[in-house]
Amino acid sequence: MVAPDDCPSQAEYITYFEPAIAVMQTEAALERIALELCLDSAAENVDYLEVRWAPRLHLRRGLSVDQVIRAVLSGLSASPIQAVAIVCAMRQHEPEENVELARISGGFSGRGVVGFDLAGDEVRYPAAPHRRAFEAARAAGLRLTCHAGEAGDPAHVEEALDLGVERIAHGVLGAGNPRIVERIRAEGVVLDMCPTANWKCKAVPALAEHPLPGLVRAGLRCTISTDSRTVAGTTLTREFQLMSEAGMTDDELRRCNETAYEAKFG
């Protein structure tokens, strides 16, 4: 379930989620794993957690989207820390399916679901066809974010910005384009960076060359996260340590943490 260091692409990296998804097909499993994620995070002194996951990937044994969301929220509610949910639509799913997902998720606005996201293979599946899902989520009171800029063309970042998001998960490939960087800065969009995952997806050639330090010094609002503790084979503590080794100062790392609190959806 842990993607290897020599994983060749984002598309390959994503396949390593499959074994975990396969065992998360019952309400009991979803509730337990949601709680265990919170307990593991609490052990790292995390006191606020946003859990992103894709409900439509957990329907193989007959659960409905509503049941999946309720099970995860039940696990999060038993957590010793504040934990909320961001529902992910998947790029490979039909736009109408994601509109329905947004509407169902919106029914849990104010009851544990705080945001709506889009994830999956950027190269094969563009974000633009899912605009109506984002509009439905916004109308339901959910905050918006999107995975983009980890594979393919830097223009994928702009495609996400065009959806009206407040945050972008990754955005790494856009960091080399001054025009995109300036748009991100001007719109106040936050980049949720995941160094190990970005490296394993080959969005950056080496962790030492990750653009996060430069972006923070250029005044962009950035956070540090794990992407997936399991598939990336990391922890939040390790991600901060890696960026310290890449040259970020304690003040810069602290600023990333402050940005995370300022930009949180819950």
Side-chain angles (χ1 to χ4, degrees), residues 214-239:
L215 292 171
V216 171
R217 291 162 195 161
L220 272 73
R221 303 174 70 207
C222 300
T223 73
I224 300 174
S225 191
T226 58
D227 188 69
S228 165
R229 295 167 60 99
T230 301
V231 176
T234 193
T235 63
L236 188 59
T237 302
R238 175 168 168 75
E239 296 301 290

Side-chain angles (χ1 to χ4, degrees), residues 114-173:
V114 297
F116 188 78
D117 189 11
L118 181 69
D121 186 341
E122 288 184 63
V123 175
R124 295 177 60 195
Y125 303 100
H130 303 285
R131 177 181 298 278
R132 288 184 56 239
F134 278 81
E135 291 171 348
R138 182 188 294 108
L142 299 180
R143 310 279 289 275
L144 304 181
T145 181
C146 183
H147 281 69
E150 201 177 32
D153 196 291
H156 295 166
V157 177
E158 289 195 290
E159 189 178 37
L161 292 171
D162 290 342
L163 296 172
V165 299
E166 299 175 55
R167 287 160 43 189
I168 289 179
H170 311 308
V172 184
L173 297 179

Side-chain angles (χ1 to χ4, degrees), residues 159-249:
E159 189 178 37
L161 292 171
D162 290 342
L163 296 172
V165 299
E166 299 175 55
R167 287 160 43 189
I168 289 179
H170 311 308
V172 184
L173 297 179
N177 185 307
R179 180 175 54 79
I180 294 176
V181 169
E182 183 51 39
R183 182 177 174 188
I184 293 169
R185 188 203 330 269
E187 297 183 12
V189 170
V190 172
L191 300 180
D192 295 324
M193 297 286 196
C194 307
T196 295
N198 300 157
W199 169 58
K200 287 193 173 187
C201 287
K202 298 303 173 283
V204 293
L207 283 164
E209 297 178 48
H210 198 283
L212 176 60
L215 292 171
V216 171
R217 291 162 195 161
L220 272 73
R221 303 174 70 207
C222 300
T223 73
I224 300 174
S225 191
T226 58
D227 188 69
S228 165
R229 295 167 60 99
T230 301
V231 176
T234 193
T235 63
L236 188 59
T237 302
R238 175 168 168 75
E239 296 301 290
F240 271 82
Q241 181 61 39
L242 289 170
M243 287 298 95
S244 175
E245 293 170 1
M248 292 185 73
T249 67

